[in-house]
Each structure stands twice: as structure tokens, then as C-alpha cells.
Amino acid sequence: MIISSDEVQEGFIKAVRSAIGDELSSMPSAPNTTPLKSVIKDIQSKDRPPYPYITITIESNSKQGGSWLRHKWVDSEDNVVYKAEQSINLRVTCYGDQATTILTKLRMYALDDGLRADIDQLTGAVFQDYTDIIREPMYLSTDFVNTASMVASFTAVSTWQPPSTGIIERVTGEGRYLDYEGDENPIIVTFDEPS
């Protein structure tokens, strides 16, 4: 199973809604439905919800250029299996009044073991930590909006098996070497070696 950054992002959106949804506005919804709290992907075509709201951005999904090999083994059917680890960083940006305070609460809630277990279960990755919160007011449309962001770091472990692998247990073969064209006594080399 190869971990998808998009699935980690979607699971983390659910975890953030669960943790601090009461601090955020609600997204517009159809009549007679419960509106979702305003935690959204950074790239979406719909209108932005009212302030305050949070966007989750996939910032990077590699550690210095790619995943690194954690373990390699041969399964019971003689197939090579690789286990790789990678870092996935998600930028959490809050827009609106009290943006810094809202992100501070989110960071504080992550100290709870139960909440961390929920994050891990929803994302399929292991939550590591948040970075410092950076306050960065932004000019949006016609006015400045109070904005703050931090990065949530995850470690994801993927297990992968190439489609047609197997273990070579024995190599056998034969080769002929002609000293000249039409040689009646070629040199014959045979081999039968365990790998």
C-alpha cells in the first residue's frame, strides 16, 4: 500500500474540524443538512466560506528528494517487498480574527494522546508535530485579513511490491566459443550455480 498525500490531507481536514470546528464558521449547506465547519483544501473552485476558516495545503511530500528505504524482504511467494518512509508536510493557514489564537488551540490540543491517535487513524500517517505559528496578515480583495499559519509534519510508511518480482534461486546456462569460423572443436562452458 502506497500512502497518498491527498488522502493524508483529506483525513487531516476531518481531524482539524473535529478538534477546533467550534472556533470556525460553517460552510454554506443545503437546507435540512448539518453544515460542515470551515476547514477546506487550499485549491478548490467554490467560494471561500465566511471568516474565520482554515485551509490545508500539501506543502511537500518528500524528505530531501524522495522517500527512503526502511526495510526490504522476500515474502512467502518469493516476491521482493519494499517498505519506504516519507515525510508529508501540510500547511495549516487560518484566515480571520483570532487566527493566531485558533492555531494555538489546535497546537495545544495535539498534546492529547487521544487526539493524536485520532489524527493518525484519520490520515493513515503518524502525526509528528507542528511548527511555530507565523502571523502574516494578507491583503485579500479590498482589505487586510488577519492570517496565521503553521506546518503539520507527518511520517507515512508505504509498502510496495514491484509487479513482477521473484527471487532467482539458480542460474544455469551454456556458452560456446569458436576459435575460428567452422571450428569443429569449440570451447564449451556450462554453468549451474545457486544465486
Side-chain angles (χ1 to χ4, degrees):
M1 174 184 83
I2 296 178
I3 298 293
S4 160
S5 305
D6 293 321
E7 290 175 12
V8 174
Q9 180 188 34
E10 289 169 12
F12 190 56
I13 287 171
K14 292 175 186 172
V16 172
R17 275 186 188 135
S18 174
I20 59 163
D22 293 341
E23 303 287 330
L24 304 171
S25 66
S26 295
M27 293 193 296
S29 63
N32 300 324
T33 61
T34 304
L36 291 173
K37 292 301 181 175
S38 299
V39 182
I40 58 176
K41 292 181 182 181
D42 61 324
I43 302 171
Q44 67 178 40
S45 59
K46 297 177 184 174
D47 291 335
R48 295 293 186 205
Y51 299 117
Y53 68 89
I54 288 178
T55 62
I56 307 292
T57 307
I58 298 173
E59 186 163 88
S60 68
N61 61 354
S62 64
K63 183 159 188 154
Q64 297 179 4
S67 57
W68 59 100
L69 185 63
R70 184 187 235 191
H71 189 56
K72 177 175 133 180
W73 71 92
V74 177
D75 68 8
S76 61
E77 296 174 5
D78 289 338
N79 294 310
V80 179
V81 182
Y82 299 93
K83 184 177 273 193
E85 189 170 315
Q86 69 187 44
S87 292
I88 298 174
N89 295 319
L90 302 176
R91 179 166 296 277
V92 181
T93 305
C94 185
Y95 297 87
D97 293 339
Q98 304 297 316
T100 305
T101 303
I102 291 169
L103 292 187
T104 300
K105 288 181 181 179
L106 182 60
R107 279 184 65 188
M108 292 298 292
Y109 294 164
L111 297 174
D112 178 61
D113 290 337
L115 181 62
R116 290 175 80 92
D118 289 345
I119 292 171
D120 293 353
Q121 191 269 329
L122 287 167
T123 61
V126 178
F127 174 73
Q128 297 294 318
D129 202 1
Y130 290 114
T131 62
D132 291 336
I133 298 168
I134 299 170
R135 186 177 172 274
E136 46 193 2
M138 299 179 87
Y139 188 74
L140 298 178
S141 300
T142 59
D143 201 359
F144 280 96
V145 175
N146 188 18
T147 305
S149 68
M150 64 183 176
V151 174
S153 299
F154 292 85
T155 297
V157 177
S158 298
T159 303
W160 177 72
Q161 179 179 330
S164 58
T165 62
I167 299 300
I168 298 172
E169 295 180 6
R170 190 162 210 86
V171 177
T172 60
E174 179 180 293
R176 294 176 178 264
Y177 175 73
L178 300 175
D179 204 18
Y180 56 88
E181 190 67 39
D183 186 359
E184 303 257 340
N185 296 319
I187 299 171
I188 299 173
V189 177
T190 61
F191 52 92
D192 185 0
E193 298 290 328
S195 61

